[in-house]
Each structure stands twice: as C-alpha cells, then as structure tokens.
Amino acid sequence: RFCLPLVLASLPTMATGEEIAPALQDSWGDFWLFRFFVNAAGYASIVVPGFLLIQYFKRRNYLETGRSICFPVIKSCVFGSEVKSVHQDDGSLPPRAEPTESSTARQVFKLLFCAAGLQASYLTWGVLQERVMTRTYGATETDPGEKFKDSQFLVFMNRILAFTVAGLYCALTKQPRHGAPMYKYSFASLSNILSSWCQYEALKYISFPTQVLAKASKVIPVMMMGKLVSRKSYEYWEYLTAALISVGVSMFLLSSTPNRTVSTVTTFSGIVLLAGYIIFDSFTSNWQDALFTYKMSPVQMMFGVNVFSCLFTVGSLLEQGALLESLRFMARHSEFTAHAVLLSVCSACGQLFIFYTINQFGAAVFTIIMTLRQGFAILLSCLIYGHTVTVVGGLGIAVVFMALFLRVYARSRMKKRSKKLPPGEAPVQKV
C-alpha cells in the first residue's frame, strides 16, 4: 500500500531528470496526479448515481407513466422538450445588431467599450491567476509564507459567481423556451471543470507565456475533436494555420532561456497538464456546439453548465474536506480573499463581454480582440513576473499570432464569398 504513493511522487523527477521545488513535494498527497484522481473520484460519486437514475427513468418510460409531484423536474432534467432547431444558428446566438449609417459614433463607442471590457477582464484574470498559483501569502522577514494549493476551490469560486450572474440575467431578460435535457450539460460541465483545473495546476510547473501559447495551439485538437464529435470538414487554410501555430509553439518551447528558475522550467508534468487542458477544453467547445442544436441562448448555456459545475466541485470539496481548509486559508490571508473574489468577478464579466461583443460585432471582431489580448497577456506577465523570452522564442510567438490573424482573415473572406453565392451553392464547411 506504500508503493503507489512512492511511484506517484517520483514520476515528475523521473520524467524531467530534475529536482522538484520543495514547495511542490511537501507530501505525495500534493502531487497533481494524485489530486486529479481524488477529484475524479469525487465527481464519479455524483455522476454514477445520476447516470443510474437517468437509466432507471428511461427504462420505466417515466415520460408516459410518471405522475408524481416531481414529474416536471424529472422531465426537465432527464427528457427535456426534445425540440431541436432545424439549423444550428436558430437560437444558438441572438441575431447580431447591424450598424446603421447614422450611428457610426455609437458603434465606435460600443466597439471600444467591448474591447476595453474584454482586455480589462481577461488581462486582470491572467495576472491574478499567475499571482495566486505561483506566489506565497503571508510572507514576513521570519516566515516564508504559504502557497494556496487547491486549484479546485478556485474553479468552484469562478463557477458559483458565473452561475449567479447567468441566473440573474436569464431571470431578468427574455430567453428562448428551454428544450435540452438538463443532464446533457453535465458532460460539458465535467470537461470544463477538468480543463480549468489543469490550467491552474499547470502554472505550478510552467510559465504563464507558455500556457498562453498552448491555448493558442488548441486550434489543432479542436479540429480533431470536431471531426470525431461533430463530423465537421475543414478547408486547406485551416490546416495550414494549424501547422503554423504548431511550428511557432514548438519554437517557443524548444528555445532555451538563460538563468531559468524553478517557476519557469517547462517540466514534463506541466506539458501533461497543458495537454489535459487542451483536450478537455476541445471537448467542451464541441459538445456545447452540439447542444446548440436545441433552441437556447448562450446565457442559458452558461447557466446550465455552471449549475453542474457548482454541484460537482462543491461535492468533491466537501468529500475531501478541502472546502473548510480553503475557507480557513481565506480567513488567514485577506489578500488571497480579495484575489480569489476578483478572479471570479473577472471570469464572470469576461463571459458576459464575450456574448455582448459577438452579438454586436460578430465572431471575427471578437477573435481579433482576444488574439490581441493573448499578446498583451504575455507582455504583461513578462513585465510583472520577470519571465525571459529568447530571440527564437520571440519569433515563435510572432509565428503563432501571424497564423491566428491569417485564420481570422481567411474566415472572413470565406463568409463574404458564401454570401455572394446562390442559396443552394453555399459551402458546407463549418469552423
């Protein structure tokens, strides 16, 4: 019974040939792979009974035979209304407001407002994310302080606020009639939780600029998941830009930097966690894309996913006893409390700015703003936390962003061309 902890604890050292920082090896229970399986076991304790209940109601043909007081709740959770839209665009996004000639100044102001909101939300979120996961709290001349280690609690904080904001928005505004079975949100929720957890944990082993570039490279697994989950087809320019992104990320990762510290060493564990983030996040986006065949708004999607995210994370935290431990950490360090709350606010506000920007200006403008945000995030992280980038690494970053902008340009050209074609000749390709 002592063999498994010893093997798990030695994996990072064997994989990298380096010593792990003392803060990361306080106990084998702090190793990310062990924590991952513990979290997964907590989610399974909710998923498995839920799956058995769903199968029970379906086999009993509860939709025709059930007449209890819980019938409306069970019908909504297990069966839904089963009404799908003929086209994915119906109900997936609200109709985009077209600018008028007389409101040019108003449109410019809206664009600046969206750009400023997205940049402020996500740049602040990125800086705080790195601060919380890589720096200590309560450090004095005699006390080195302590690091916050439970990434799952941060995921819970983000999701509970996003759930509240989405719920209020749905209650105060008119939304399409909901038709999707609620349990289907759990798949996207579970993959979203795991991707966020991997994202936080990865910062213990890799630098923030590396993580940002890895996010840019998720185009490749998204395309692969699109073929597997949604049977999508892609154009040649999409494969070309995906290859350029791969080359740029490889240049950055393989470039050596002088005077590396433990916090900026790209370890094997960091690479595995980044791969986990990209895979889980790719599944999330494609599963949500499939769910949009039901008539729903993005805010309803945000609400449904975050309902299950809160359920999974709080259940797992309570089973591990980590919820009270994290709350005690917040009580000991008021600075951490402020950072965790602000992190959640930025995440929730950022999601609302995403919906508003796409609604007002379309996906192309939104993609350009977020691509610029990634560049600013790398620059800001290097300035604040002292990360160094070599000439080869800088060229790799340039290649990645050139590929991203090329992708936006090619996509906009394809949309313009499809509008000029007769109704029956529009290309089938989806992005």
Side-chain angles (χ1 to χ4, degrees), residues 120-418:
S121 298
Y122 284 104
L123 287 177
T124 305
W125 179 80
V127 170
L128 287 174
Q129 184 188 41
E130 188 170 9
R131 167 66 181 89
V132 170
M133 297 307 300
T134 63
R135 300 296 191 269
T136 59
Y137 287 93
T140 61
E141 294 181 358
T142 57
D143 186 2
E146 56 180 335
K147 283 186 177 181
F148 184 75
K149 299 177 181 179
D150 198 339
S151 302
Q152 187 177 212
F153 180 76
L154 294 176
V155 177
F156 166 70
M157 288 280 291
N158 289 351
R159 299 303 177 266
I160 193 70
L161 186 60
F163 160 73
T164 305
V165 171
L168 290 174
Y169 190 93
C170 289
L172 297 176
T173 60
K174 186 178 180 181
Q175 300 292 322
R177 183 174 178 269
H178 189 266
M182 286 296 294
Y183 81 89
K184 290 193 174 183
Y185 290 107
S186 63
F187 299 101
S189 172
L190 195 58
S191 59
N192 180 254
I193 291 170
L194 292 172
S195 68
S196 298
W197 184 88
C198 289
Q199 182 181 5
Y200 281 115
E201 284 291 309
L203 285 175
K204 297 178 180 179
Y205 302 94
I206 62 171
S207 66
F208 184 78
T210 304
Q211 189 186 83
V212 172
L213 285 189
K215 290 181 185 179
S217 68
K218 73 180 182 181
V219 168
I220 303 163
V222 165
M223 290 172 63
M224 293 173 62
M225 283 287 184
K227 276 190 168 296
L228 293 174
V229 177
S230 305
R231 298 287 188 263
K232 291 183 179 180
S233 58
Y234 298 97
E235 295 290 332
Y236 72 92
W237 55 266
E238 295 183 89
Y239 291 106
L240 174 62
T241 53
L244 285 174
I245 290 172
S246 299
V247 170
V249 172
S250 299
M251 290 172 63
F252 179 82
L253 293 178
L254 295 176
S255 64
S256 58
T257 57
N259 300 324
R260 281 188 167 185
T261 61
V262 174
S263 63
T264 58
V265 172
T266 303
T267 66
F268 176 77
S269 294
I271 296 297
V272 173
L273 285 165
L274 275 182
Y277 160 74
I278 292 172
I279 292 170
F280 289 127
D281 193 62
S282 301
F283 176 84
T284 301
S285 59
N286 280 281
W287 186 265
Q288 288 178 325
D289 187 49
L291 271 181
F292 272 130
T293 54
Y294 294 92
K295 197 171 185 179
M296 69 175 71
S297 70
V299 182
Q300 286 176 318
M301 173 71 76
M302 177 180 171
F303 178 79
V305 171
N306 283 297
V307 165
F308 284 97
S309 297
C310 293
L311 176 65
F312 289 144
T313 52
V314 75
S316 180
L317 287 168
L318 287 172
E319 288 173 8
Q320 299 174 36
L323 183 60
L324 291 177
E325 184 179 344
S326 298
L327 292 175
R328 292 191 196 101
F329 190 95
M330 293 181 72
R332 290 196 301 271
H333 305 289
S334 58
E335 186 184 7
F336 168 77
T337 304
H339 288 168
V341 171
L342 187 55
L343 198 68
S344 302
V345 170
C346 289
S347 178
C349 290
Q351 291 185 57
L352 293 179
F353 271 112
I354 287 174
F355 300 145
Y356 183 74
T357 304
I358 294 176
N359 179 34
Q360 292 293 319
F361 301 101
V365 173
F366 165 74
T367 305
I368 292 173
I369 294 173
M370 294 304 283
T371 303
L372 291 173
R373 190 270 303 181
Q374 290 176 324
F376 291 146
I378 292 177
L379 178 63
L380 202 59
S381 178
C382 291
L383 291 175
I384 295 176
Y385 299 108
H387 301 301
T388 56
V389 179
T390 63
V391 175
V392 176
L395 288 175
I397 294 174
V399 169
V400 170
F401 285 103
M402 181 189 71
L404 291 174
F405 281 115
L406 179 61
R407 193 175 180 83
V408 174
Y409 172 75
R411 186 180 298 175
S412 63
R413 288 293 300 270
M414 286 289 293
K415 286 185 177 180
K416 288 180 181 178
R417 188 185 306 172
S418 64

Side-chain angles (χ1 to χ4, degrees), residues 19-37:
E19 290 188 2
I20 301 300
L24 294 178
Q25 54 183 2
D26 292 337
S27 67
W28 59 267
D30 292 330
F31 180 42
W32 69 267
L33 187 57
F34 176 79
R35 300 299 305 171
F36 177 84
F37 283 120

